[in-house]
Amino acid sequence: MAPSAIPDSPSPPTVSDNEENNLQQFFVLHKALPRKSSRKVSGPGKTRRKIDLSPASPKSEGKSGANHVEEEDDCYYEQLRVEAFNAVWSEIETKIKDVLREINISAFDEVHRWVCECFSTIKSSGTPEAVRPYPLVTDINCKQIFTALVLTKNIEFVDDLLTFEELGLHLKSKGCHVANLSSLDFSAKNGIGGCLRSLLRQLVMVSLDAPDIAVLASWYSEQENYNNPSVVIIGDMERCSGSVLAEFILMLREWVVKIPIILVMGVATTIDAPRNLLPSNALKHLCPFKFSLGSPYERMDAIVEAVLLKTCFGFNVGHKVVFFLRNYFQRQDGTVTSFIKAFKIACAKHFSTEPLSFLCRDLLNDDSEGFWSEKCALLPEVMLKNAFSFPSCQRCKMTEGTSENLASGLFELKKLQKNWSSVVLCLHEVGKFQKMHLLDIVCEALDPATYNKNASDNHLGIGNGFSKSSPSDCCLHAGQYSGKSKGGIISQVVRRVRDLPVALLSQLLNIWRKHTKGISEIHDKVKELQSMLKFEDNGKSLKQDSKDTPKRPSSRGTMNMEDKKTVNEKSATLMEYMIVNYLQPIECIPFHEIICFKNVELLQSALIGDPRRTVQVDLLKSHNFLQCSCCSRSGNVLLPSMHDTSIMYTLAQEHGDLINLHDWFQSFKEILLGPSTKGKHKMKQSPLSKKRKDRDEPHDISEASIQARFCRAVTELQITGLLRMPSKRRPDYVQRVAFGL
Amino acid sequence: MGKEGTPQITKRTTRSSSSTADSSNAIATKTVNAPRPPSIISDLTFGEEPMSLDALLSSFPGRRLQVLELLQLIGPLNSPMFPLFIYGGASTGKSSVVLQVFKHLNRPFVYSSCRTCYSPRILFESMLNQLLLHRRNAGNGYSSMKRCERPADFVNFLREALTDVVNNLKEPIKKASSKELLKPGHGRMIYLIFDHLELIQEWDKSSGIILLLFNLFDILKMSEVGLIFISNVSPDAYYSNTGHVEPIPVYFPDYTEDNLCQIFMRNQANPKLFSSFLDVVLRPFCRMTRRVDELSAAFPLLFKKYCEPLSDLGLAPTEDMKRKLFSHLQPHIAPSLNEIFRVQYESRVDVKAKEKVRRKGNIRKLGIEDALDEIDFHMSISAKYLLISAFLASRNPATLDAALFDSMGGSDNRKRKRKASQTSMEKKENTENELLMRGPGTFPLERLLAIFQCLTSVGEGSLEEGQREDGGVMAEDGDVGLMSDVLLQLSTLCNANFIMKGGTCPLEGSTRYRSTVSEEMALKVARSLRFPLSKYLYRR
């Protein structure tokens, strides 16, 4: 198997020298992947041209006169792009970190306040002599161990590793002694000793070979440590071994009050988790309090708001990418960490594939149009040509490829993008009333199809307008989502605006006013609406009892209702107006390719990979990959020159979930011997290139070697996880484990 | 006790100085952290004014007999004693009585709990450290006085240390210079107390250590040393016929209801009110547990509840009022009988919502306070499906899978089965019950994945529909198949303790899993997916 995966290695015969013992199957897994992705990208030839422009293969694209100077330029601009990536990403990263910290800080403060309270409670029950080994005999009030259960609200723990680390730092900065333990310290293997050891290492900063909690007591009684609470943070409580944790708690209990330890435990699932994990005799010593961190959705929304909407970082993602990210978050992974990772991958890919992406960095900084024209004037001819050959540009029939045009285009792009984000923020404000997630709204707002539909219909009634999909859409993805967007989120939002009670409406308008500062037209209208609302309030004060508005306010005929309806109606109309005129997805703006990453396949293959499927596909179509001359011509016919494992797996496709070994072997043998009529192939070793060399030798494949090759192929299939070996019940059958591609 | 001032930090001093201890320090000095040279008397006794016998007896209601027996067995000053073996159920006052007795006697002793000293080495070193008056501190790197791992070493070191201590205890009598001796003497005896002896049985090579401890009396042959063992389990669990001197057993029986009443009536601000409360509460609780620690954890909260309607807590309750209070309290008693883990809410943000939850929780305090229909933590959709599949795989018999998930032959099969089952209904019921007793079944990974695939193929369709209904999302195009990272999800669920993993052999695929999710939880998850779980659940 091994050699087949590296077909273009310089000396195939040496590699293929049959090293039977050399289990190189894993080359299939490791070596194959990069090739696969590149094949995938270049395979469908009509993918976006920017891929072809990638620095890795600058010559493959249409630039015929790729002379030396250009190469140097390429080098220079590549350098620029790398710098731009570093700059942009570091900005984004710090922003994300700030946002996350912001989310947690209130919870952290709460925990700290609670820790202080607990500590004073403990202290109030006297200051016993800590170093004495016997437990307290007096009656004291709090013999329980104060425990904070911090609900992380996410079954995946990854996000919260950092959170608890920061909680530790936060408490430390407030003067607590903090030890951050993880579930690894509470493993059944190391027992209680392991957890005490790391506790002592972190608090006392000694490493003893027989860790003893009495050490902690004498450490604590030292003067400088004495008046501060000590907090033990266990981030992932569910993963701890229950018995060790229980033992730890019982031991702490013997030293209760003498060592005022306060536990903080992260709970990923429900508040019941400790009840399920710990025995009752440990549980009853805990005095639990509940805290919660922001849910992953909240964090996600905050990040999206900060990164995609609030500031323009000069990097953006297209609709499909956001859609993919959202789905990935919702269905697969559900961690903010992986969302950030995916975003970073997208960012890196963008900067590496898009030749003009170095301009992004300046989007981050400068705002004046003059700056842009200056900047663009410096661009070489090729770059400009690139820029104007973007599909988005051609769509708009912008023929003149001057640098001024590019500059104004970019300026416009930034402006439109700003408008777009303020409208999305306005939408989100409404969505908050219905607990909509910002990501969903962004997802829909980015959809070029809906926008184009709206634009071409020029129809204000959103609810209706969406359902009518005009076939004359010029957009790339037009019609793709037709029918599904009928009750889209945005139209829900508009409907919601209509039904909003007065108090909420005025609150909403206030926030809108803030968000729409950039768009003076809308800003004025919002002000107008606000004054209307105020006027009404003054006119008909004390009529707030109609807060729970029925769904159809028009069905009632009271005056108040009528008036209120008008304001609501007007706000809804305004909303619709905003949507139609300002909610222009980035993918509909010329030159968006410069800052917008759209290649979802690239991201998908980087993020998910789907190794098993890849292995199967590669096995079935090994010639696509090896590109050897002997097999590629054959089409679907199995040739003996193909790789054994590949032959075997193709044969296995004909069977059901059980494969009779004998039949399989026979057909395998037939394939190997089949072309013997031609009398050409020698098959001592699998690799192809070698075979071609000695093709003249007579076929003298012994039964034994066929069997050996058969066995090896079966083993390889088993190791790749496609097969299961014969069971005792059915000794002559193997079972297929993977089905379907 | 325990009131003895302040933490004592000392630099290590040589033991020779210990006999000339500064006596003024023996009585608790309030100077914080004053370094104090260790002395046998102050380190090994309670070092306070000894407690009178009356105070001792009154502080342990229901333990009069045991206290007196202990005093008798320990004997007067300087009288040798046989080893004692104190046993009785958890939380019956064994350790406290022994410690308080020593406070009363004011004699030097060394205490080691086998809970804190979780291995032989730590037990040995802790004993020796105490005897050698060794204090761990930053100066000595928190290390023990002597490194001692083997029992033989322990015996040798112990003998040395004990001889020194005993000599030191004798010395001052001759000198008669120290003030301490003007007080009633501490005697020449030193007592070694081993608490939680039953835990030793869980250690490696436990029998050796236990034997060693029981044999200490014979091995040491020092009449000045008294040994006291405290254990949860009766002596029968330990003794073997190895010929050591059998310790004298002292049994601490469980408290009676009256004892408990006396115990809880101590130090109450309003005894009348509290006794009326106890009248209501003690009996039902005593049927559950008589452990003081459990009761004392449960009572304060209930008492708070009990007092809620009262404006003035100082009042002595009238009959009428008692009745009213009782009816107020009654709904809370039964739920709190089972409750040992009551979570309090700290969050001050949206207190209102929490209050609501709390109120709900109080009515049904039994821990089903998550009556909220939502699961309140994030789980990816594919993890949810996997959880449901695991639940089904654990609950349903494997033979039924084909009928449930094969849309072709499903209904047919079922009918046939039902017919057959009618004839052998009883038999089936029996096996059913058996299944129930066995708990959730195990299943191989393949079965889980097969069910998962069936569910997702069904579920994705309905999911799409659902999304169309509430117009949630538009298309399935940036499609992330649910199947792609199943094994990752599986490990996530294992980490969350929703699925347990059995033995492993990854190549053979013979790992068996077991779902430990409650039905309630599974239903909740299913509801969040709008998945008709009950349709797939096999009930007889």
Side-chain angles (χ1 to χ4, degrees), chain B residues 166-405:
Chain B
V166 169
N167 286 340
N168 275 332
L169 283 172
K170 282 177 189 165
E171 244 171 54
I173 298 178
K174 292 167 203 156
K175 284 193 192 166
S177 62
S178 174
K179 266 192 212 159
E180 277 167 23
L181 304 168
L182 300 180
K183 289 190 288 175
H186 303 285
R188 280 177 283 113
M189 291 288 290
I190 172 102
Y191 299 89
L192 308 183
I193 304 174
F194 297 88
D195 202 349
H196 294 289
L197 205 63
E198 72 279 355
L199 289 175
I200 296 186
Q201 287 177 316
E202 290 162 22
W203 298 356
D204 298 339
K205 295 179 261 170
S206 59
S207 60
I209 305 295
I210 289 178
L211 270 184
L212 170 77
L213 294 184
F214 282 139
N215 275 327
L216 266 185
F217 184 74
D218 291 340
I219 297 172
L220 290 174
K221 290 215 170 55
M222 295 171 76
S223 58
E224 295 91 349
V225 179
L227 292 170
I228 297 172
F229 305 104
I230 305 175
S231 159
N232 264 349
V233 287
S234 74
D236 312 336
Y238 302 98
Y239 295 163
S240 51
N241 288 323
T242 43
H244 55 76
V245 177
E246 285 210 0
I248 304 162
V250 180
Y251 178 58
F252 277 57
D254 281 353
Y255 288 114
T256 63
E257 221 174 294
D258 291 340
N259 297 151
L260 285 174
C261 196
Q262 282 172 349
I263 290 171
F264 284 105
M265 286 305 293
R266 283 178 308 170
N267 310 323
Q268 284 305 329
N270 186 350
K272 288 214 170 120
L273 186 64
F274 198 79
S275 78
S276 71
F277 166 73
L278 279 185
D279 288 342
V280 178
V281 158
L282 199 54
R283 175 142 303 160
F285 267 91
C286 276
R287 263 179 252 132
M288 304 289 297
T289 177
R290 291 193 179 176
R291 292 177 57 167
V292 177
D293 52 353
E294 283 173 3
L295 292 177
S296 61
F299 282 175
L301 281 172
L302 272 179
F303 185 59
K304 225 180 184 177
K305 190 107 265 159
Y306 186 75
C307 296
E308 246 171 26
L310 291 178
S311 52
D312 181 13
L313 294 182
L315 288 176
T318 60
E319 278 305 308
D320 191 35
M321 199 158 100
K322 272 185 197 169
R323 224 170 292 127
K324 218 183 282 167
L325 290 178
F326 173 68
S327 60
H328 173 72
L329 185 68
Q330 201 184 17
H332 303 289
I333 296 179
S336 66
L337 282 178
N338 263 332
E339 175 96 346
I340 40 169
F341 189 65
R342 206 172 292 124
V343 180
Q344 299 168 49
Y345 298 90
E346 184 63 16
S347 183
R348 266 155 244 199
V349 195
D350 55 18
V351 179
K352 269 187 197 165
K354 297 272 163 72
E355 276 290 304
K356 221 163 76 191
V357 175
R358 195 193 303 201
R359 230 171 290 139
K360 248 189 210 166
N362 275 342
I363 297 166
R364 254 166 306 156
K365 231 185 229 162
L366 221 149
I368 330 169
E369 54 197 313
D370 34 317
L372 312 155
D373 272 0
E374 300 272 305
I375 38 170
D376 50 358
F377 56 93
H378 180 82
M379 233 168 141
S380 62
I381 293 181
S382 98
K384 283 179 181 172
Y385 272 114
L386 196 66
L387 182 70
I388 292 178
S389 340
F391 178 69
L392 285 177
S394 261
R395 281 288 303 270
N396 292 348
T399 45
L400 221 71
D401 283 356
L404 278 176
F405 297 108

Side-chain angles (χ1 to χ4, degrees), chain A residues 173-275:
Chain A
S173 71
K174 303 265 166 127
C176 306
H177 307 293
V178 178
N180 239 322
L181 302 184
S182 78
S183 59
L184 295 179
D185 298 317
F186 290 91
S187 65
K189 196 177 133 220
N190 289 333
I192 184 79
C195 106
L196 283 181
R197 186 168 292 124
S198 55
L199 186 67
L200 291 181
R201 201 174 44 225
Q202 290 190 38
L203 285 178
V204 192
M205 309 212 221
V206 289
S207 173
L208 300 170
D209 44 355
D212 182 357
I213 198 160
V215 172
L216 199 64
S218 39
W219 165 81
Y220 186 74
S221 60
E222 278 169 30
Q223 191 163 15
E224 63 270 24
N225 306 323
Y226 190 60
N227 279 318
N228 294 317
S230 28
V231 180
V232 174
I233 300 176
I234 305 168
D236 40 355
M237 192 268 295
E238 270 108 336
R239 293 163 80 173
C240 299
S241 149
S243 58
V244 178
L245 187 56
E247 206 173 328
F248 180 64
I249 289 169
L250 289 175
M251 194 180 280
L252 283 186
R253 151 71 220 233
E254 278 198 348
W255 294 84
V256 75
V257 180
K258 289 193 278 187
I259 315 173
I261 280 191
I262 295 162
L263 287 177
V264 175
M265 302 205 274
V267 179
T269 54
T270 57
I271 199 81
D272 279 343
R275 216 182 310 231

Side-chain angles (χ1 to χ4, degrees), chain B residues 77-142:
Chain B
L77 212 56
N78 298 336
S79 64
M81 64 175 265
F82 279 114
L84 292 184
F85 187 93
I86 300 168
Y87 68 104
S91 193
T92 47
K94 300 181 295 295
S95 309
S96 332
V97 166
V98 171
L99 288 171
Q100 294 287 51
V101 160
F102 275 95
K103 191 178 179 190
H104 162 69
L105 292 174
N106 203 17
R107 297 185 198 166
F109 65 93
V110 170
Y111 173 93
S112 281
S113 154
C114 296
R115 166 98 55 206
T116 294
C117 308
Y118 59 93
S119 75
R121 175 173 173 191
I122 291 173
L123 178 66
F124 297 158
E125 289 183 0
S126 142
M127 275 272 156
L128 292 174
N129 282 340
Q130 291 181 60
L131 281 173
L132 298 172
L133 310 179
H134 173 74
R135 299 239 180 87
R136 295 162 162 210
N137 53 32
N140 52 35
Y142 299 99

Side-chain angles (χ1 to χ4, degrees), chain B residues 141-160:
Chain B
Y142 299 99
S143 58
S144 295
M145 183 74 177
K146 289 219 161 76
R147 186 190 162 91
C148 172
E149 268 171 290
R150 288 182 304 150
D153 292 343
F154 173 62
V155 172
N156 289 335
F157 288 137
L158 187 67
R159 192 192 305 276
E160 273 173 39

